[in-house]
Amino acid sequence: MSDTTRHHDTPARRFPSRKSKRRRIPERPFPHQEEQPTGNSQQVHEAANTPDINFASPFKAETEVASAQPPTIEPPVGTMGMSPQDTSLASAVTEPSNREPQSNDLAPAKPQRASHSTVDTVPYTPTAHSQSLDTPVQKHKTEQADKDASEALEQELTTTAALRKQQLHVIARKKRQRKRKIITGLILVMLLVIIVATSVAAIKFLNISSYLAPAEDYTGKEAGSKDIRVEIPAGANGQDIAVILKKKDVVKSEDAFVEAFKKNSAAQGIQDGWYSLRTKMKASEALAALLDEANKIDVAITIVPGKTIDEVKAKFINNGQFTKEEIDAAFENVDALGLPAEANGHLEGWLAPETYRVDPNMTVQDLLKQMISHNTERLEKLKVPRDKWHDVLTKASIVEKEGKEEDFPKIARVIENRLAGKGENTAGLLQMDCTVAYGVGKGGSGAFITQEEKKQDTPYNTYLHKGLPPTPIASVGDSAIEAVMNPPEGDWLYYVTVDLVKGTTKFAATHEEQKKNIEELRQYCKENPEVCKTENE
């Protein structure tokens, strides 16, 4: 095999690429590293066969190499700037050859040392090519790197395991703390239940003890002969009543009355109000006295709409709480009752209809003041203008006396139409029988008045005097006030009640229609003389 062939079989020398920037190894090789042969293949072959190279003294060869000429720098392997021979050498390394392998090719190349007699022998300089070779140093570094990576991975795994172990420890500690809190809470709840149960048992025991020891009570024999007034407020229970009776010395102890109250199922029926009792009564007897209406000394006075002052006085007298002299004196002293200026000093119409409780400490004057105050509050609540209080109450009193509640709106319209001067026969005259009856001292409905009474000249005779009468003629309810404030539209000028029992009233816009309705009333009286006679009386 020629030298040329050997030269092509020698691996091409590699230079470091631009991308491979590796740290250069010091020029002085390690003692165990052998120098790589340089130069052409012929020189390498001759150097390999030189017998006088002392392999046991590498430092001598290093001294000889240092005295040699400096090497010629070769260009990188490639197609640019290479000789044909170098190009063919590079292709021989990079491309597979189709020739049959020779015997010399199969023999491994022995490490060669350069001859000191060779001119082109250069000192060994590690290059990228030498670094890429699988040298012992590189193996050592690779193994060391793998070992370092393995140790780093093992350390990382160890650290991760330690952190995980620490996390598990924290979680377990929190679980233990939570468990302790739950156990502590359960213990506290159990203690609270035990305390409550003990308290309840103690209370029950004390109650039982109180039942075992009977409450102090009067025997009834020492009851006083003097009567005492006791007020039971609305909504009072057994305990409240016991406190009141104990303060008044009606019973000896509250417990005695409470016990009697619980045993009597009718005790819930005690009404509020004033009672006349005695001191030092047995608890059961005091309870029986409160259930007896005969001992109730306050009486409710109910004033219904349409009642005159004379009728209200009669209510007061029948109550039995006041004398006739007390009643007359209070009604005559109008200035002391607190009437508003709009009343012009007249009490009629200013006593609001209502149910009033008269307790033993009240006077007639106190009761009348309460009625007037209630009437004023009602006018404000119904939003009646203050300058119209007098007229509204006067019209409403006529409405109250003239018909049923369902006819109030139409009657109010008739009053407005007549006051406005509508109709040929009315000419501004109300012509109301109820006002004439009031003027002649009849406090009834005024359904029937005589012709002589119609001719009597009184301020309330609306057949003779136009407009409204000087004062209201009765107490009025809310529905009458509302009807006067909002009368319906209509042209009615007349009305008459054709059935005195049922209260049927017919309205007419003309006088001819009214005559027909009056004739119907006369026929009714012929058929029911007893009814008409009673009304006339």
Side-chain angles (χ1 to χ4, degrees):
M1 186 177 295
S2 63
D3 295 338
T4 304
T5 304
R6 291 179 181 273
H7 179 74
H8 283 284
D9 291 341
T10 304
R13 184 179 181 183
R14 298 181 182 177
F15 287 85
S17 62
R18 295 181 180 178
K19 296 182 179 179
S20 177
K21 296 181 180 180
R22 301 181 179 178
R23 183 174 58 86
R24 295 181 60 86
I25 301 175
E27 294 181 357
R28 182 176 180 180
F30 292 95
H32 63 275
Q33 183 178 9
E34 295 179 354
E35 297 180 356
Q36 298 295 329
T38 59
N40 55 36
S41 59
Q42 181 66 28
Q43 293 171 344
V44 170
H45 181 71
E46 291 177 357
N49 296 325
T50 305
D52 58 347
I53 295 178
N54 187 5
F55 290 94
S57 181
F59 297 100
K60 179 180 180 181
E62 179 179 355
T63 303
E64 292 175 353
V65 172
S67 63
Q69 295 182 359
T72 303
I73 300 175
E74 298 180 359
V77 178
T79 56
M80 296 298 295
M82 296 180 62
S83 63
Q85 185 178 2
D86 294 335
T87 304
S88 61
L89 179 59
S91 61
V93 175
T94 57
E95 297 179 2
S97 177
N98 296 327
R99 64 180 180 81
E100 294 293 334
Q102 301 298 326
S103 59
N104 291 338
D105 295 333
L106 298 177
K110 297 181 180 180
Q112 304 293 330
R113 298 185 60 88
S115 174
H116 56 81
S117 61
T118 305
V119 178
D120 56 354
T121 300
V122 296
Y124 172 75
T125 303
T127 61
H129 174 67
S130 64
Q131 292 179 8
S132 64
L133 296 178
D134 191 11
T135 62
V137 175
Q138 291 300 110
K139 286 183 179 181
H140 176 73
K141 289 185 176 182
T142 302
E143 292 175 356
Q144 185 66 29
D146 294 341
K147 183 178 180 181
D148 293 342
S150 177
E151 292 177 354
L153 178 59
E154 183 178 359
Q155 183 178 3
E156 182 179 359
L157 293 176
T158 304
T159 304
T160 303
L163 291 175
R164 179 58 179 169
K165 184 177 181 181
Q166 185 177 2
Q167 291 177 354
L168 293 176
H169 177 71
V170 172
I171 293 172
R173 183 177 60 192
K174 289 183 177 180
K175 287 183 177 179
R176 290 194 299 271
Q177 292 177 353
R178 184 163 57 251
K179 185 177 180 179
R180 284 196 297 269
K181 289 181 179 179
I182 294 173
I183 295 174
T184 304
L186 292 175
I187 294 173
L188 292 176
V189 171
M190 292 177 64
L191 290 176
L192 181 61
V193 171
I194 293 172
I195 293 172
V196 172
T198 305
S199 302
V200 172
I203 293 172
K204 289 184 177 180
F205 176 78
L206 292 176
N207 289 337
I208 293 173
S209 300
S210 64
Y211 281 115
L212 294 176
E216 294 182 348
D217 195 5
Y218 290 121
T219 61
K221 296 180 180 180
E222 61 267 57
S225 59
K226 182 181 179 180
D227 293 340
I228 184 172
R229 294 178 178 180
V230 178
E231 182 183 11
I232 305 300
N237 55 28
Q239 182 64 42
D240 298 333
I241 298 174
V243 173
I244 295 172
L245 298 181
K246 176 65 175 61
K247 289 182 179 179
K248 295 288 186 177
D249 195 26
V250 175
V251 295
K252 191 171 184 179
S253 66
E254 297 176 10
D255 293 339
F257 183 83
V258 170
E259 183 177 351
F261 189 92
K262 292 180 178 179
K263 292 180 179 179
N264 194 335
S265 60
Q268 298 294 337
I270 297 177
Q271 298 180 3
D272 59 298
W274 287 86
Y275 293 83
S276 177
L277 303 175
R278 293 178 299 164
T279 58
K280 301 184 184 306
M281 296 181 68
K282 189 175 178 63
S284 58
E285 294 176 358
L287 178 61
L290 291 175
L291 293 173
D292 188 357
E293 292 185 0
N295 297 315
K296 204 167 188 298
I297 59 177
D298 65 337
V299 178
I301 297 179
T302 301
I303 308 300
V304 297
K307 296 300 180 179
T308 63
I309 288 180
D310 291 338
E311 292 173 321
V312 173
K313 283 184 179 180
K315 279 279 188 179
F316 281 20
I317 294 173
N318 295 334
N319 175 263
Q321 191 74 22
F322 312 107
T323 64
K324 186 177 183 303
E325 291 74 17
E326 292 175 343
I327 296 171
D328 290 341
F331 274 85
E332 289 175 2
N333 191 13
V334 179
D335 295 338
L337 299 179
L339 276 170
E342 290 76 11
N344 297 321
H346 297 283
L347 191 59
E348 190 70 83
W350 287 89
L351 302 179
E354 189 64 70
T355 299
Y356 300 93
R357 173 72 53 83
V358 183
D359 63 65
N361 298 326
M362 288 184 67
T363 64
V364 179
Q365 191 177 67
D366 294 336
L367 186 58
L368 292 176
K369 285 182 178 180
Q370 186 177 351
M371 293 179 174
I372 294 171
S373 176
H374 181 64
N375 191 65
T376 303
E377 293 174 357
R378 184 177 52 151
L379 291 173
E380 293 175 349
K381 182 179 180 181
L382 295 174
K383 298 181 179 179
V384 180
R386 192 179 183 92
D387 59 343
K388 294 183 179 181
W389 281 3
H390 176 270
D391 290 350
V392 169
L393 288 176
T394 302
K395 293 176 182 178
S397 65
I398 296 173
V399 170
E400 286 281 4
K401 299 293 286 186
E402 283 293 313
K404 298 188 302 182
E405 185 173 353
E406 60 187 42
D407 296 327
F408 285 176
K410 286 185 178 181
I411 296 173
R413 172 50 61 189
V414 171
I415 293 174
E416 295 297 332
N417 290 341
R418 288 201 172 200
L419 291 176
K422 296 180 180 181
E424 298 178 357
N425 298 327
T426 60
L429 295 171
L430 289 179
Q431 298 179 345
M432 300 290 180
D433 292 351
C434 64
T435 61
V436 175
Y438 183 85
V440 297
K442 287 185 175 181
S445 63
F448 294 96
I449 58 174
T450 64
Q451 293 298 324
E452 293 296 327
E453 291 173 342
K454 284 184 180 181
K455 293 178 182 180
Q456 291 184 19
D457 189 2
T458 67
Y460 296 91
N461 192 333
T462 54
Y463 285 93
L464 300 177
H465 303 285
K466 293 182 179 181
L468 293 172
T471 67
I473 61 175
S475 61
V476 298
D478 292 354
S479 57
I481 296 176
E482 292 173 352
V484 171
M485 292 293 295
N486 300 287
E489 294 296 330
D491 55 356
W492 308 292
L493 290 171
Y494 309 94
Y495 60 89
V496 62
T497 302
V498 296
D499 190 332
L500 300 181
V501 176
K502 296 180 179 179
T504 304
T505 302
K506 289 189 176 182
F507 293 81
T510 64
H511 191 259
E512 294 298 327
E513 293 178 4
Q514 177 68 358
K515 285 182 179 180
K516 292 180 180 179
N517 294 335
I518 292 175
E519 186 62 29
E520 186 176 346
L521 172 61
R522 289 175 180 173
Q523 184 63 32
Y524 173 83
C525 288
K526 288 181 181 180
E527 297 175 358
N528 303 278
E530 67 283 355
V531 176
C532 295
K533 182 180 179 181
T534 302
E535 290 293 334
N536 192 27
E537 293 177 351

